[in-house]
Amino acid sequence: SDPDIWYKTKYFDSSRYGTKDGRLHDFMNIMDKFPKIKFISAHLGCLPENLPKLEQMFNKYPNLYVDTGSTRWMCRELGKNVKESRVWFTKNADRILFGTDLSLRKEIGDPNYWASRYWSHKVLWETNYRNKPLPFEDDDTFGTTEINGLQLDSKTLEKLYYKNAFKFFNLS
């Protein structure tokens, strides 16, 4: 699914697009049907705005993992409440995989595009910087997003960056 703000601006016609809760319900029905399959849900399960709800899903579905894709969405939402986000990430560190949403496309030849996204993730996860301007436009907020670093501890970062992927794919 997508950010809450999209359901207010882009997907406002719920008869055409459905609702975010409806999409989550559909996904949970699939997880109910296949409890032995491990699932990765992109963009923190589409719930960076609602970590308590994602926590409930983690409690119900031990086979659910999430990634951190969508740089601007993660920076925008997780930095709103740094302390809550840090506590949540530390508590759930075993179920989160690093992701960016970056893909190789012909029209993206600018190395600054790549560097700005990775830099933003690094600032979000590893620092305690406050009000650091996102180095690219956030179309959802008309360019006003600032990064507030979570300063995750080294054990959480190791899990986020690579250990969980090894574990998920049985490579360790």
Side-chain angles (χ1 to χ4, degrees):
S1 192
D2 290 307
D4 288 355
I5 197 168
W6 285 22
Y7 283 88
K8 294 174 186 166
T9 59
K10 297 179 184 198
Y11 304 153
F12 57 88
D13 183 356
S14 62
S15 65
R16 180 175 181 186
Y17 297 106
T19 64
K20 188 168 186 171
D21 283 338
R23 298 288 175 240
L24 285 168
H25 180 74
D26 293 343
F27 179 54
M28 288 186 280
N29 282 341
I30 292 169
M31 289 191 293
D32 285 331
K33 285 183 182 181
F34 302 99
K36 294 185 179 183
I37 293 177
K38 293 191 281 187
F39 291 89
I40 301 174
S41 184
H43 313 139
L44 285 184
C46 81
L47 290 167
E49 301 98 337
N50 192 343
L51 296 177
K53 185 169 189 162
L54 183 52
E55 179 90 20
Q56 290 173 346
M57 288 176 66
F58 273 178
N59 291 336
K60 184 173 180 180
Y61 301 103
N63 55 330
L64 174 61
Y65 295 77
V66 295
D67 79 16
T68 63
S70 189
T71 307
R72 63 184 69 159
W73 189 8
M74 295 304 114
C75 290
R76 179 174 63 238
E77 296 303 331
L78 297 174
K80 287 180 180 176
N81 188 331
V82 170
K83 184 177 179 182
E84 176 187 316
S85 296
R86 182 184 311 114
V87 167
W88 189 90
F89 266 77
T90 303
K91 179 179 180 185
N92 295 289
D94 291 333
R95 310 270 294 275
I96 308 164
L97 293 93
F98 179 73
T100 65
D101 260 10
L102 293 174
S103 60
L104 185 58
R105 299 186 312 240
K106 244 188 215 181
E107 65 270 24
I108 302 171
D110 179 4
N112 290 325
Y113 174 86
W114 299 86
S116 66
R117 270 67 178 174
Y118 281 107
W119 179 87
S120 297
H121 276 284
K122 189 170 179 67
V123 170
L124 178 63
W125 309 128
E126 298 179 22
T127 76
N128 65 353
Y129 293 170
R130 295 290 175 264
N131 306 312
K132 204 71 160 157
L134 194 66
F136 50 91
E137 190 171 343
D138 182 350
D139 298 333
D140 297 331
T141 60
F142 309 102
T144 60
T145 297
E146 294 180 333
I147 307 169
N148 293 307
L150 304 184
Q151 196 172 23
L152 299 175
D153 63 83
S154 62
K155 284 186 179 184
T156 300
L157 289 170
E158 286 175 350
K159 290 176 181 182
L160 170 68
Y161 285 147
Y162 69 94
K163 284 188 176 182
N164 288 344
F166 275 54
K167 180 179 149 192
F168 185 88
F169 293 106
N170 298 315
L171 300 172
S172 54

